């Protein structure tokens, strides 16, 4: 019998352990727990490395990013290609998005204290396949777990209308945002992607080989064309339009040509040096 591997990610230890014990009583289910988003990601990675990937993640909607003992990550592990510290997802919905990117085969179900159409819609957009109340029956939760493994999406009936309304509104906003972004020139779009990445004017100027004054002009043009009045509003609109951040620049390293040239020069100096 192939067992369903479930990970319960919830900061409330008693709840997580009680739920895990109830699920593990099923003959075809095995369960692990994690107390934070950071711990959940580490558990998922370890399970894949051991050849026992998790099938379903049950994530608390209000899951914290990391427990106090996991807030400090070694610098060599916490730094990405751009040199910035890697931050764990801030809650269960953000965790669903991180999981979708890192483990696309994994199914995520968000556990919530209360029904919230807006957050449920956000969870589905982030990649979750279900939204379930924490106080639902065990039989209901098991039906959802087995259902998402069959590619089903599960929502409480009372939430369905509200979630559809939220998703429709989000699509309308996205369409309008996409229309505004299309008015930008290629250079302005590059500047916008840098803004989404959180770069300041000086950093954008260095990246795009422009003067700070030119970057300032481009940023003002971007705000005007997007009909917003702040960088934060421009970034939010860009996100709705599907505009991602500029790729981080690799750390300083000499170009291959430069390294080759330096090596040739050194060889030349060595050859030219008088023998002793």
């Amino acid at each position: 019998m192939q067992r369903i591997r479930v990970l319960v990610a919830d900061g409330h230890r008693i709840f997580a352990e009680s739920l895990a014990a109830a699920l593990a009583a099923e003959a075809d289910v095995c369960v692990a727990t994690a107390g934070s988003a950071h711990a959940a990601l580490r558990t998922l990675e370890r399970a894949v490395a051991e050849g026992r990937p998790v099938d379903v993640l049950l994530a608390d909607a209000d899951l914290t990013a990391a427990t106090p003992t996991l807030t400090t990550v070694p610098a060599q592990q916490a730094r990405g290609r751009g040199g910035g510290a890697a931050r764990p997802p801030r809650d269960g919905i953000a965790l669903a998005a991180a999981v979708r990117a890192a483990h696309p085969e994994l199914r995520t179900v968000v556990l919530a204290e209360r029904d919230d159409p807006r957050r449920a819609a956000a969870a589905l957009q982030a990649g979750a396949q279900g939204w379930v109340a924490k106080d639902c029956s065990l039989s209901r939760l098991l039906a959802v777990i087995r259902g998402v493994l069959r590619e089903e999406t599960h929502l409480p009936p009372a939430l369905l209308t509200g979630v559809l309304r939220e998703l429709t509104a989000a699509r309308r906003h996205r369409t309008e945002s996409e229309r505004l972004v299309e008015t930008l020139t290629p250079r302005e779009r590059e500047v916008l992607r840098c803004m989404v990445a959180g770069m300041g004017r000086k950093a954008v100027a260095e990246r795009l080989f422009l003067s700070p004054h030119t970057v300032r002009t481009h940023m003002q043009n971007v705000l005007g064309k997007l009909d917003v009045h702040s960088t934060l509003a421009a970034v939010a609109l860009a996100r709705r339009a599907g505009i991602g951040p500029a790729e981080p620049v690799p750390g300083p390293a000499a170009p291959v040509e430069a390294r080759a040239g330096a090596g040739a020069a050194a060889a030349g100096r060595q050859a030219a040096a008088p023998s002793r």
Side-chain angles (χ1 to χ4, degrees):
M1 178 196 314
Q2 179 151 3
R3 305 182 75 187
I4 302 171
R5 296 186 175 91
V6 177
L7 174 62
V8 178
D10 195 298
H12 301 86
R13 185 173 59 85
I14 295 176
F15 173 83
E17 291 179 354
S18 298
L19 178 57
L23 291 171
E26 297 292 312
D28 63 340
V29 179
C30 59
V31 192
T33 63
S36 70
H38 186 122
L41 289 174
R42 290 182 61 183
T43 300
L44 294 174
E45 291 166 4
R46 186 167 59 249
V48 170
E50 294 173 353
R52 298 180 291 104
V54 173
D55 299 305
V56 179
L57 168 66
L58 301 179
D60 177 17
D62 299 312
L63 186 69
T64 55
T67 55
T69 57
L70 293 175
T71 52
T72 301
V73 182
Q76 64 270 30
Q77 297 177 11
R79 295 188 177 277
R81 293 188 339 185
R87 294 184 177 86
R90 66 184 180 278
D91 59 18
I93 296 175
L95 176 59
V99 164
R100 179 175 63 175
H103 307 279
E105 298 302 317
L106 179 64
R107 299 293 174 259
T108 300
V109 175
V110 176
L111 304 177
E113 293 279 2
R114 60 188 181 281
D115 285 344
D116 184 330
R118 179 169 297 181
R119 296 192 74 198
L124 295 184
Q125 290 176 309
Q129 285 76 33
W131 176 280
V132 179
K134 279 190 169 186
D135 60 358
C136 76
S137 66
L138 180 62
S139 60
R140 165 66 179 160
L141 183 56
L142 286 167
V144 171
I145 290 172
R146 294 188 169 101
V148 296
L149 288 174
R150 296 192 298 268
E151 305 294 334
E152 298 172 0
T153 299
H154 284 259
L155 288 170
L159 272 185
L160 187 57
T161 299
V163 168
L164 289 175
R165 186 184 302 117
E166 292 290 335
L167 292 176
T168 300
R171 179 57 195 168
R172 184 167 60 249
H173 291 319
R174 180 180 175 89
T175 301
E176 175 62 16
S177 300
E178 289 171 342
R179 185 187 67 77
L180 290 171
V181 167
E182 287 174 357
T183 65
L184 302 180
T185 66
R187 176 63 83 184
E188 289 166 351
R189 188 176 291 222
E190 284 185 86
V191 170
L192 178 59
R193 293 183 67 229
C194 290
M195 294 164 67
V196 173
M199 297 182 190
R201 190 185 307 166
K202 182 179 178 182
V204 177
E206 292 175 353
R207 180 188 178 91
L208 301 181
F209 304 102
L210 301 171
S211 71
H213 176 75
T214 300
V215 171
R216 181 172 180 270
T217 300
H218 282 313
M219 286 183 167
Q220 289 176 337
N221 290 341
V222 168
L223 296 184
K225 289 184 178 182
L226 298 185
D227 194 24
V228 295
H229 302 287
S230 70
T231 297
L232 286 177
V235 169
L237 187 149
R239 288 291 196 183
R240 288 198 298 270
I243 302 297
E247 290 295 324
V249 178
V256 173
E257 295 83 354
R259 294 198 299 272
R269 287 195 299 271
Q270 186 176 2
S275 59
R276 299 191 179 188

